[in-house]
Amino acid sequence: MTERYDVIIIGTGAGGGTLAHTLAGSGKRILLLERGDFLPRELGNWDPKTVFVEGQYISKDTWFDGDGTPFQPQVHYFVGGATKLYGAALYRLRPEDFGELRHVDGISPAWPLSYDDLEPWYTAAEQLYQVHGNGGEDPTEGHRSAPYPWPAVSHEPRIAQIAEGLEKGGYHPFHAPCGIMLDEADRPRSTCIRCTWCDGYPCLVHAKSDAEVIAVRPVLGASNVTLLTGAEVTRLDTDGSGRTVTGVAVTRDGNQEVYTGDIVVVSAGAANSAKILLNSASDAHPHGLANGSDQVGRNYMFHNCLAVVALAKERNDTVFQKTLGINDFYFATDGYEYPAGNIQMIGKSNAEAMRGEKPKLTKLSPEWTLSDVAKHAVDFWLTTEDLPRAENRVTTGSDGSVHLAYKASNDAEAARLYDELKKIMNHTGMAEHHVLGKNFYMDMSIPLAGCAHQAGTCRFGTDPATSVLDINCKAHELDNLYVVDTSFFPSIGAVNPALTAMANALRVGEHIAQRIAS
């Protein structure tokens, strides 16, 4: 291709999609390259069998673990990236997350930015993605320069009952920040219908605040923005000095194409962004593009997570369950010297999605059917911080495929968080022995395949010897290459990373806009 663009953005998710939205108003020529297509709107979007049992929307990729064993990663290639099926839990990192934190298995490193540096961008991201929440309820949250743009999504009766029990027990439950286009004050005109098919499902009515709906679609009508779908980037080429990316090589419709741009932004997800850079090795960059520090692909993180179902005699007729969070154990407590993590609700269980775990779940009460279990289930997601370790890394095979070596960290903290959840359930009418872990992804290798929160493979920092990117997410070793997805994270905290990726994309977007304006 001979056409030249001012900015080429690879990937349309939380990072790339948000960046495109930020730059569209500059008038400069923007090219968006998306490996997938628009996610089809079909009844299967809201069918648990289609989504969880058949894995209809999961990539057919094959990755390999550290021993060379193949597995199918839970990644999604669509316009909007991983946000198309995320739960829209849009949390800020806590102020302490930006500093050094001591964990049972080591140190979570400090960021080159502080919470105060990122706070205005968090506020802007919450406005853009229409986040619902109540500031001030969670004692661990940082200060905010503006309130949430929408009030928190209300608790349904069973969840309100649980929240009340927790408060009476001395805990601090809060309304979870959520990105859905729900107007509870005017339900007839609300885009969101407050259904149960949100967490882990595509939204059939486009009412989830995902990157496609919020960021990409609104700018596609602009004459300066071009989106190419089905465009998989295979490598980046540079000039002889190695300082400038001169070509973006793409496979599309079976053809090989090359696009050129003054600035190139990689935002393909932590594993695939590392893959692109590593597969772009050249004489000037023999170990992979921007990899003179040997940090590209290293420090892979994706959280130490556990899905939990708790059962009670009371029915749980909640429809939209993802409204409550608990951070009482996010940092060290009087009874435990290490951080344990975040507890939040997840989408409501149903019999179809739980079918693969029938023996495990029904043993809680053998006389119950699986449908009974689902009707009485209250569902939680437990997240413990995963440490960046050099040996947890993405490499590529001779065919360019992703190889992911990974060993979990902070298992003792995750176990502690699970124990704390079981204890606090005593305040909600659910006994400890009726709390059990569950697995949504029945046909895949877990935990390695559960990479929705992947981060860290191109960390940013001030020292080129220990980081890949500078403070503006530009590669230290190149003049026109940026990485704007969760790859830049030096640490991951214990809350969902999407809002931080969005906020950073807005921040970097302003930097790039100023650069291309000159």
Side-chain angles (χ1 to χ4, degrees):
M1 300 287 112
T2 57
E3 204 167 18
R4 187 173 186 88
Y5 295 87
D6 294 296
V7 182
I8 297 176
I9 302 172
I10 303 165
T12 59
T18 307
L19 179 66
H21 188 278
T22 305
L23 295 177
S26 69
K28 300 295 185 177
R29 303 189 67 229
I30 313 297
L31 174 63
L32 275 169
L33 296 172
E34 171 53 52
R35 177 174 174 172
D37 204 337
F38 287 95
L39 192 149
R41 297 179 74 182
E42 55 195 10
L43 293 179
N45 291 172
W46 286 352
D47 179 1
K49 181 179 179 181
T50 299
V51 174
F52 288 114
V53 179
E54 298 173 355
Q56 177 73 27
Y57 305 111
I58 297 170
S59 163
K60 305 305 180 187
D61 271 11
T62 297
W63 292 0
F64 299 86
D65 67 16
D67 296 322
T69 302
F71 68 95
Q72 183 185 6
Q74 195 222 355
V75 290
H76 311 287
Y77 299 136
F78 298 106
V79 179
T83 67
K84 289 305 296 179
L85 285 93
Y86 77 160
L90 295 177
Y91 284 78
R92 299 182 178 202
L93 287 173
R94 285 29 221 157
E96 293 89 339
D97 285 324
F98 291 87
E100 191 175 275
L101 283 174
R102 188 171 64 94
H103 287 268
V104 66
D105 283 342
I107 299 296
S108 175
W111 288 43
L113 295 176
S114 69
Y115 175 84
D116 288 348
D117 293 326
L118 203 57
E119 195 285 328
W121 304 108
Y122 272 135
T123 293
E126 288 168 347
Q127 296 289 327
L128 177 61
Y129 280 87
Q130 302 187 32
V131 183
H132 296 242
N134 285 343
E137 291 182 340
D138 174 12
T140 70
E141 70 178 352
H143 69 87
R144 51 176 52 249
S145 54
Y148 283 104
W150 287 87
V153 180
S154 64
H155 296 319
E156 293 178 44
R158 182 71 179 106
I159 307 307
Q161 183 184 39
I162 291 171
E164 183 180 359
L166 292 173
E167 289 175 351
K168 289 180 177 178
Y171 300 101
H172 303 85
F174 58 91
H175 288 80
C178 187
I180 53 176
M181 287 173 257
L182 173 68
D183 186 351
E184 294 195 85
D186 191 1
R187 290 293 294 274
R189 291 183 176 85
S190 175
T191 304
C192 175
I193 62 174
R194 193 172 174 141
C195 71
T196 195
W197 314 114
C198 192
D199 195 6
Y201 297 83
C203 183
L204 184 59
V205 296
H206 285 178
K208 188 182 333 192
S209 296
D210 64 50
E212 178 213 347
V213 173
I214 291 290
V216 177
R217 279 185 180 265
V219 303
L220 290 183
S223 60
N224 62 311
V225 177
T226 300
L227 168 67
L228 294 182
T229 59
E232 181 178 0
V233 174
T234 55
R235 64 173 288 118
L236 306 177
D237 295 316
T238 67
D239 62 7
S241 72
R243 294 291 309 181
T244 303
V245 176
T246 55
V248 179
V250 172
T251 299
R252 188 165 70 104
D253 296 330
N255 300 314
Q256 304 299 310
E257 302 171 349
V258 178
Y259 296 89
T260 58
D262 293 338
I263 290 175
V264 175
V265 182
V266 180
S267 190
N272 280 310
S273 288
K275 171 188 173 180
I276 291 170
L277 298 183
L278 292 171
N279 285 341
S280 300
S282 64
D283 290 342
H285 298 274
H287 303 295
L289 195 60
N291 197 29
S293 62
D294 191 34
Q295 293 297 304
V296 171
R298 293 190 182 274
N299 310 301
Y300 180 91
M301 301 169 283
F302 73 101
H303 281 144
N304 196 329
C305 292
L306 178 65
V308 172
V309 60
L311 298 180
K313 293 179 181 180
E314 298 91 338
R315 282 176 59 104
N316 180 15
D317 293 321
T318 303
V319 176
F320 187 87
Q321 185 172 253
K322 202 175 176 73
T323 60
L324 183 145
I326 307 164
N327 274 339
D328 288 73
F329 316 106
Y330 196 93
F331 298 115
T333 62
D334 291 340
Y336 192 63
E337 62 179 315
Y338 300 108
N342 167 261
I343 299 171
Q344 59 182 276
M345 313 296 293
I346 52 175
K348 182 71 180 71
S349 283
N350 59 77
E352 192 63 63
M354 296 164 67
R355 195 158 304 283
E357 300 177 272
K358 182 174 180 179
K360 183 178 180 181
L361 292 174
T362 55
K363 77 177 184 180
L364 289 173
S365 187
E367 70 275 12
W368 284 7
T369 67
L370 194 60
S371 295
D372 288 328
V373 173
K375 290 174 183 176
H376 290 257
V378 181
D379 308 86
F380 296 90
W381 184 259
L382 280 59
T383 305
T384 296
E385 180 164 5
D386 185 26
L387 294 177
R389 289 175 163 174
E391 62 271 23
N392 285 349
R393 65 183 302 194
V394 173
T395 56
T396 56
S398 58
D399 60 351
S401 60
V402 170
H403 288 241
L404 179 56
Y406 177 81
K407 182 179 179 181
S409 62
N410 294 334
D411 285 344
E413 293 178 3
R416 175 74 181 201
L417 188 61
Y418 184 34
D419 287 342
E420 294 289 0
L421 175 69
K422 289 190 287 186
K423 291 176 186 176
I424 68 176
M425 287 298 95
N426 291 321
H427 296 281
T428 66
M430 289 177 276
E432 290 186 31
H433 63 278
H434 273 181
V435 180
L436 191 70
K438 68 175 186 175
N439 168 19
F440 272 132
Y441 313 116
M442 291 165 284
D443 297 324
M444 294 176 292
S445 170
I446 295 297
L448 200 57
C451 48
H453 291 185
Q454 57 179 288
T457 56
C458 300
R459 58 171 24 166
F460 78 158
T462 57
D463 184 357
T466 59
S467 58
V468 178
L469 311 171
D470 69 14
I471 200 167
N472 290 315
C473 291
K474 184 187 76 66
H476 289 299
E477 300 171 18
L478 290 103
D479 297 323
N480 69 333
L481 175 65
Y482 292 78
V483 180
V484 185
D485 55 21
T486 53
S487 299
F488 85 96
F489 283 36
S491 66
I492 196 171
V495 290
N496 311 55
L499 186 72
T500 300
M502 295 161 177
N504 184 64
L506 293 173
R507 181 185 72 89
V508 175
E510 181 178 86
H511 160 77
I512 293 177
Q514 292 174 350
R515 176 174 170 175
I516 61 180
S518 58

